[in-house]
Each structure stands twice: as structure tokens, then as C-alpha cells.
Amino acid sequence: MTERPRVSARISAISESATLAVDAKAKAMKAEGRPVIGFGAGEPDFPTPDYIVEAAVEAAREPRFHRYTPAGGLPELKKAIAEKTARDSGYQVEPSQILVTNGGKQAIYEAFAAMLDPGDEVVVVAPYWTTYPESIKLAGGVPVYVTTDETTGYLASVEQLEAARTERTKVLVFVSPNNPTGAIYPREQVRAIGQWALDKGLWVLTDEIYQHLVYGDAEFSSIPVEVPELAERTVIVSGVAKTYAMTGWRVGWIIGPADVIKAAGNLQSHATSNVANVSQAAALAAVSGDLSAVDAMRESFDRRRTTIVRMLNEIDGVLCPEPQGAFYAYPSVKGVLGKVIRGKRPSTSAELAELILEEAEVAVVPGEAFGTPGYVRLSYALGDEDLVEGVSRIQKLLAEAE
């Protein structure tokens, strides 16, 4: 009798989250007593604001939250998300167009699962967040990559997107502000890309989780607002994790046409049922409140952004464009590769990241994780002192390159 594989081919093909893997290794080294500074995980270092925590405490005492609630989300939370979306994006939606999910990752997977059939192609701009391709493949789709670099500010043009389109293309993944680059598309370019998608009959999945983390003169603009005719083929994914320092609470959502939301909700009803009610109550307080706590965090991120970009650009062989949003720097390290550093000659950004972790005790994520070797990602969502100390260690290490 032929022995069958113990793990399915579908699941075996999925890679571990590189960002979480780097973060886990850094934490393991810290547990061993090593003074590791981690730039790996995209996680604000601030506590969740007090008023949100208090709402969760009260919810935990509420007997109705000790029971199952609607799989698609608490009605009051869906209503609040619709109101928040109108307030912050200028996009009018009904609560019935919203599905509350267990974080942004579940939102992304369920959206793709609802939209894709086997063989459908999805255009993904690289550098990309590590979860997009894996979710596409798990849903039966085929990611097709459009690669950008620092010379264009990591922005894709309509011409590049059109060159990647085939008869099998169904969806464009559009992310602004972007993870890992911090790039933001200007309003006119958002409109041009949306019009292109509309003209070609494509769907758009747009990830807006970094909507409120925008700096300087940059502006956030939502693609279905810029091209209203595209709304019937647009799915928005977002959540409370980044804006409100709630990564551990696991509340995200999908906004989209009613038929897609119904399909994704059917999937969720079998996969997880409702999101934890205490977390939903916390999210309700977050999206219903003002953005004063968010503004304070953004000011800190902006200050750190300036510092990290300046310090990285002081390193020979490193080129770091200034990010306009989110909380990541994405420098090119191509000028360092191939040089000897402490007896080793890293030829890839993955090898360089490993060397930096071992020799400088600083964790960064290599560009291989985001589809563009030759770069590294550093999250500046960590304390100012740790940020300066961590980049200083990198500066000292790479100064030895010869």
C-alpha cells in the first residue's frame, strides 16, 4: 500500500510568515539573555489606549457576551465601522456590506477565497506583505508580480500593471500606505489605477489598515472614493491593529459588495464563527472614539521615521527612501552585499540579515520575504532609544565592510 503524504500538498506549499519568524527568533535570543533589538514585527510599542481597555473590561462582565453572537460581527460594531468609513474615507457603505474578522489576515484570506476560482490570477505589486501571495495560493489563485524599486518610490505605474495583465487576471491587490515600503500613491495615481481596473473589468482588493499613519504632505485616498464606479468590484480590508495599537486583540474587517460579504461570511461561519466578543467591544470603542490617541502615536512614529532614515542613509552602500506612511523603512542594501564583514561575505539580503542578527544582535527582515532581494525592512514602531541603539549597531557593523 502506497503511503500518502502526512501533510496536504496545499498546506505544505505555504511558507511560514517571515516577519513573525524573525520576531520569534529575536525573542528567543532575548530569552537567552542576549540584548537583541528587534525591528522585525510591525507592532506598535504603545499600549492599547485606556478607554478601549476599559470597554473590554466592561464587556467581559456582560452576560450576553458570554454566548455566541452573529458570525459576521456584532451589529453595533458593523454600524460603527460603516460610520467610521464614511467619516475617515468619505466612503458610504451599509453595515450589511461589512464582515468582522479575526484580524486582517483572516479578512484577506476570506476575501480571496470568496473572489477566486482555481487558476484566477492576481496582480501583486512587489515589495509586498508576505501574507498576500500565500492567501492567494491557498484560495486557489495565482499571484503575478509587478516589481518596483526605490527609483520610483516603490510605486507601480499603470503601464507596469497592464503588462502583467492576462486573460486570467481577476484581481489587483492595491496597498497604500504600503507595507513594507511605507509608500503612498498620490491621489491622481490612485484614480488612474482605479480607472484602469474599471476599464479592464478587474476586481480590486485594497488593504487600508495603515490609513491613519500618514506623514508630512502625503494624503491617504481610497480607491472606490476616487473611482466610484469601481465600488461594485472593490473589497476593502482593514482593522484596528495598527491604528489603535491593538495587534493582539485580533479584530479586522472586510467591506465589499453584499454578495462577496455574504460568501465570505458563510465561510467564516464554519471556520471560526464570531470574533471574540470582548475584542469586538474593544474595537467598537476604538472606531467610535476620536483619533487623539492615534495622533499622539503618529507624532512619535513621524519622529522615529526621520531618525531612522537619516541614520540608515549615513551607512555606505545603504540607500533608504523616506517612507510616507505606515511605520517601516525599506532600504536597499545592495551596495553592502558581496563585501567582507567579520570574515563573512553575505551575497544576499537574507545572509546579511542573518549576519546582522548574529553579530550586532539586531533583527531585521530580509527583502526576500517581500519578493525583492537586496533590501531589508525595519519597523520603527519601537522606542526611540532602542531605535537609535539598534541602527547604531548596524552602522558600526557595516562600517567594517571591505
Side-chain angles (χ1 to χ4, degrees):
M1 180 177 177
T2 303
E3 184 176 350
R4 294 181 178 273
R6 292 168 61 88
V7 178
S8 72
R10 184 180 70 259
I11 301 303
S12 295
I14 298 173
S15 301
E16 179 184 13
S17 167
T19 52
L20 294 183
V22 168
D23 190 53
K25 184 168 183 178
K27 288 176 178 175
M29 292 173 67
K30 272 188 175 181
E32 295 170 358
R34 298 180 66 176
V36 174
I37 294 176
F39 290 90
E43 181 170 48
D45 61 311
F46 302 99
T48 301
D50 289 345
Y51 70 95
I52 297 174
V53 175
E54 288 305 314
V57 171
E58 290 301 313
R61 297 192 179 102
E62 184 73 42
R64 74 184 178 102
F65 288 151
H66 302 170
R67 304 288 184 261
Y68 292 127
T69 54
L74 294 173
E76 57 266 44
L77 176 55
K78 292 168 67 173
K79 180 175 182 291
I81 292 170
E83 292 170 350
K84 174 214 177 307
T85 303
R87 178 192 74 209
D88 296 343
S89 303
Y91 186 40
Q92 302 287 337
V93 296
E94 297 296 325
S96 59
Q97 294 177 257
I98 297 169
L99 173 66
V100 180
T101 63
N102 290 276
K105 288 184 177 181
Q106 186 178 36
I108 289 164
Y109 168 68
E110 290 182 347
F112 283 132
M115 289 189 289
L116 299 178
D117 283 315
D120 284 344
E121 292 180 356
V122 181
V123 175
V124 181
V125 177
Y128 49 72
W129 183 44
T130 58
T131 292
Y132 300 134
E134 303 299 342
S135 294
I136 292 165
K137 289 183 282 188
L138 191 58
V142 179
V144 176
Y145 303 114
V146 171
T147 301
T148 63
D149 60 28
E150 66 277 17
T151 63
T152 62
Y154 301 113
L155 301 179
S157 67
V158 169
E159 291 73 20
Q160 285 178 292
L161 298 176
E162 174 60 19
R165 187 179 64 87
T166 74
E167 291 182 356
R168 295 211 60 103
T169 305
K170 184 172 184 180
V171 182
L172 165 70
V173 176
F174 184 77
V175 189
S176 177
N178 181 272
N179 173 9
T181 66
I184 295 178
Y185 284 82
R187 189 177 302 274
E188 60 274 14
Q189 199 164 349
V190 174
R191 191 173 299 131
I193 289 172
Q195 188 63 49
W196 167 79
L198 177 68
D199 293 343
K200 303 304 179 182
L202 303 182
W203 285 73
V204 175
L205 182 143
T206 180
D207 188 339
E208 297 186 351
I209 202 162
Y210 294 99
Q211 169 184 5
H212 293 293
L213 298 178
V214 175
Y215 314 108
D217 295 330
E219 291 182 303
F220 166 80
S221 50
S222 184
I223 201 165
V225 174
E226 297 305 316
V227 185
E229 302 88 343
L230 190 60
E232 273 301 303
R233 292 203 302 273
T234 298
V235 173
I236 297 172
V237 294
S238 192
V240 296
K242 314 297 184 177
T243 301
Y244 304 97
M246 294 177 68
T247 53
W249 296 80
R250 310 313 303 141
V251 182
W253 56 80
I254 311 172
I255 301 174
D259 54 346
V260 172
I261 296 302
K262 178 66 165 63
N266 289 345
L267 170 58
Q268 184 163 300
S269 72
H270 293 289
T272 60
S273 299
N274 63 280
V275 175
N277 293 315
V278 170
S279 290
Q280 290 195 75
L284 175 60
V287 301
S288 300
D290 64 30
L291 293 170
S292 55
V294 179
D295 291 340
M297 288 188 277
R298 186 174 61 242
E299 286 181 14
S300 294
F301 291 143
D302 194 8
R303 181 180 65 251
R304 297 168 186 175
R305 174 182 74 113
T306 302
T307 300
I308 198 169
V309 169
R310 173 180 56 78
M311 293 184 70
L312 288 170
N313 279 324
E314 289 172 355
I315 304 172
D316 285 343
V318 174
L319 176 61
C320 184
E322 184 175 73
Q324 296 181 302
F327 39 61
Y328 308 103
Y330 199 69
S332 167
V333 293
K334 296 172 188 175
V336 178
L337 301 180
K339 295 184 177 181
V340 177
I341 306 169
R342 296 194 182 173
K344 297 181 180 178
R345 191 187 297 274
S347 61
T348 66
S349 46
E351 291 176 358
L352 180 63
E354 184 70 26
L355 180 65
I356 291 171
L357 181 58
E358 291 299 329
E359 297 293 334
E361 296 179 317
V362 174
V364 301
V365 187
E368 283 83 350
F370 310 107
T372 53
Y375 300 80
V376 294
R377 191 192 79 171
L378 296 89
S379 167
Y380 48 87
L382 75 170
D384 293 69
E385 290 184 7
D386 279 349
L387 185 150
V388 171
E389 170 63 20
V391 182
S392 295
R393 292 184 195 176
I394 296 173
Q395 286 179 328
K396 291 174 183 176
L397 176 64
L398 298 189
E400 300 176 23
E402 56 185 22

